[in-house]
Amino acid sequence: AKDAGPKIAALLALAHLSEPEPVATVSYQSAGRLLIIGELGAAEQAAELIGPELDITLFTQGGNTAGAQQERRYPVLGGQIQGLTGWLGAFELTWLRNNPIDLDLCTRCNACISACPEDAIGLDYQIDLAACQSHRACVKVCQVAGAIDFDRAASSQTDSFDLVLDLRATPAFSQHALPQGYLRWDGRSPGPLLQMRSLVGEFEKPKFFGYQARLCAHSRNEKVGCQACIDVCSALAISSDRSRQQIKVNPQLCVGCGACSTVCPSGALSFGYPRASEQGVRLKTLLATYARSGGKNAAVLLHSQQGGARLLGELGRAAQLERNRRDGTRGVPARVLPMALGHTASTGLELWLTAIAYG
């Protein structure tokens, strides 16, 4: 702490810089229509914990040992999921409705489960057609409700949702950066459930990228050349537009990591927010103030705005305690200057070299 004067001066100078210039924004609109995918009993439990604030629909993926509630409180879909695409406010689910039991008509009386000699009907109230031996005992006991019809033709169904909560071990999206509005829940931490409640309304985020098609080396004369940005995108937001011989960037899926701009060899993709020039000004201010204040041997610590900032705070608090100091716990060294980034991939060689040039 006694040597931290230059560091504090540098951080104060950084804090007094004006905000980055505004850029174009991307908007989302969510009315709170939530789809929960998973075992029926677990999906109902999640719905109860979320509460009545959202309009909830369940998609059953089997029944667990506890089974579903006897009272059906939420619309339930069933069948074989064929596709799930989209983002916050614009998810689209496509599924094949191919089960003889109509979940809208089923009263969950459990008579079909008791009547089935092969135990082909589970607590998700769907028939395992591979195990069914066509005794049709279930049809006889369900005559009043009329929920079971083996002659019903399979049909492809499509519906739209604003939010998706996935309880399955194998998720619908496998990319590193998941679409906004899509969350997973392991049945323990309440974080995703609480986050779902807050995702209702209108939202905006910066349009993080700029694209100049005339500079793009992706395709010429119907021959694919460079696809470095497509390969590196952790959100699967970049795809090939063969008809126009260029790439296509989905601003709704882009999470602003900036990795595409750091690998683009032609400069067709640029990082729009914050701009490289603005990050350069931050580095120059930080390092120049540190040097003017007598600081030496500067080291810049680039960290994330959320997790990294939290860890730095925890380390600082731990170092303040006398017992920890006796055990050797120390804070961030006085020569280390932390600088928060929206994403660590948003800086490239030009900014690292700028930092070296400024000391």
Side-chain angles (χ1 to χ4, degrees):
K2 61 183 173 56
D3 301 322
K7 173 180 180 175
I8 297 302
L11 293 177
L12 287 173
L14 186 64
H16 279 88
L17 287 178
S18 59
E19 289 293 318
E21 292 184 17
V23 296
T25 59
V26 178
S27 61
Y28 300 88
Q29 290 189 345
S30 168
R33 191 173 183 209
L34 167 64
L35 173 69
I36 302 179
I37 307 173
E39 291 182 342
L40 188 53
E44 288 181 334
Q45 179 189 14
E48 292 295 317
L49 292 173
I50 290 172
E53 290 85 358
L54 302 181
D55 179 10
I56 298 176
T57 298
L58 313 180
F59 197 103
T60 176
Q61 294 283 280
N64 56 20
T65 54
Q69 298 176 2
Q70 197 61 53
E71 178 186 0
R72 183 167 68 92
R73 300 181 181 179
Y74 307 96
V76 182
L77 306 176
Q80 180 182 352
I81 294 179
Q82 296 178 311
L84 177 63
T85 59
W87 50 83
L88 175 63
F91 286 102
E92 185 172 280
L93 174 73
T94 303
W95 75 99
L96 184 65
R97 185 178 175 184
N98 58 354
N99 204 275
I101 297 184
D102 186 334
L103 292 169
D104 284 331
L105 297 176
C106 176
T107 62
R108 302 187 183 181
C109 67
N110 299 323
C112 60
I113 297 176
S114 301
C116 180
E118 296 94 15
D119 294 327
I121 305 177
L123 291 173
D124 59 341
Y125 302 103
Q126 295 284 269
I127 298 175
D128 181 355
L129 296 176
C132 178
Q133 299 296 318
S134 303
H135 291 93
R136 302 299 187 259
C138 56
V139 177
K140 296 177 182 177
V141 298
C142 192
Q143 287 181 349
V144 175
I148 306 178
D149 182 2
F150 282 86
D151 296 324
R152 184 187 303 115
S155 59
S156 182
Q157 306 285 319
T158 301
D159 206 347
S160 58
F161 300 90
D162 299 310
L163 306 161
V164 177
L165 181 64
D166 203 336
L167 312 184
R168 299 172 296 173
T170 303
F173 298 97
S174 58
Q175 63 264 38
H176 174 70
L178 299 175
Q180 297 196 50
Y182 173 85
L183 296 174
R184 299 187 63 194
W185 187 49
D186 58 7
R188 296 187 294 272
S189 171
L193 305 185
L194 297 175
Q195 191 174 347
M196 280 292 174
R197 297 181 186 178
S198 66
L199 294 177
V200 179
E202 296 185 11
F203 304 90
E204 285 188 344
K205 71 175 183 183
K207 184 181 178 182
F208 292 106
F209 64 92
Y211 177 56
Q212 299 182 66
R214 61 183 177 83
L215 299 178
C216 184
H218 172 62
S219 179
R220 288 289 186 277
N221 300 321
E222 299 184 357
K223 292 185 180 296
V224 175
C226 172
Q227 57 176 31
C229 59
I230 297 175
D231 295 337
V232 81
C233 182
S234 62
L236 299 185
I238 307 177
S239 58
S240 175
D241 187 349
R242 296 289 180 87
S243 62
R244 302 174 66 182
Q245 298 195 52
Q246 63 187 46
I247 62 165
K248 180 169 57 178
V249 186
N250 188 321
Q252 267 79 19
L253 292 177
C254 174
V255 296
C257 74
C260 58
S261 64
T262 65
V263 300
C264 179
S266 65
L269 275 168
S270 58
F271 191 59
Y273 184 86
R275 298 174 179 87
S277 58
E278 293 165 341
Q279 299 222 53
V281 169
R282 295 179 68 206
L283 277 170
K284 179 180 179 181
T285 302
L286 188 71
L287 291 166
T289 306
Y290 178 78
R292 282 198 308 269
S293 303
K296 296 180 180 180
N297 301 320
V300 177
L301 172 61
L302 304 176
H303 65 87
S304 64
Q305 292 173 332
Q306 288 81 34
R310 184 180 66 252
L311 289 172
L312 286 173
E314 292 173 355
L315 180 60
R317 284 192 296 273
Q320 290 176 356
L321 300 177
E322 182 64 31
R323 65 175 182 274
N324 289 340
R325 287 201 297 271
R326 288 197 301 268
D327 294 338
T329 300
R330 303 176 67 86
V332 179
R335 74 181 191 91
V336 175
L337 310 176
M339 188 173 114
L341 300 173
H343 197 291
T344 50
S346 66
T347 65
L349 287 172
E350 77 284 5
L351 285 168
W352 300 340
L353 290 171
T354 297
I356 292 174
Y358 287 126

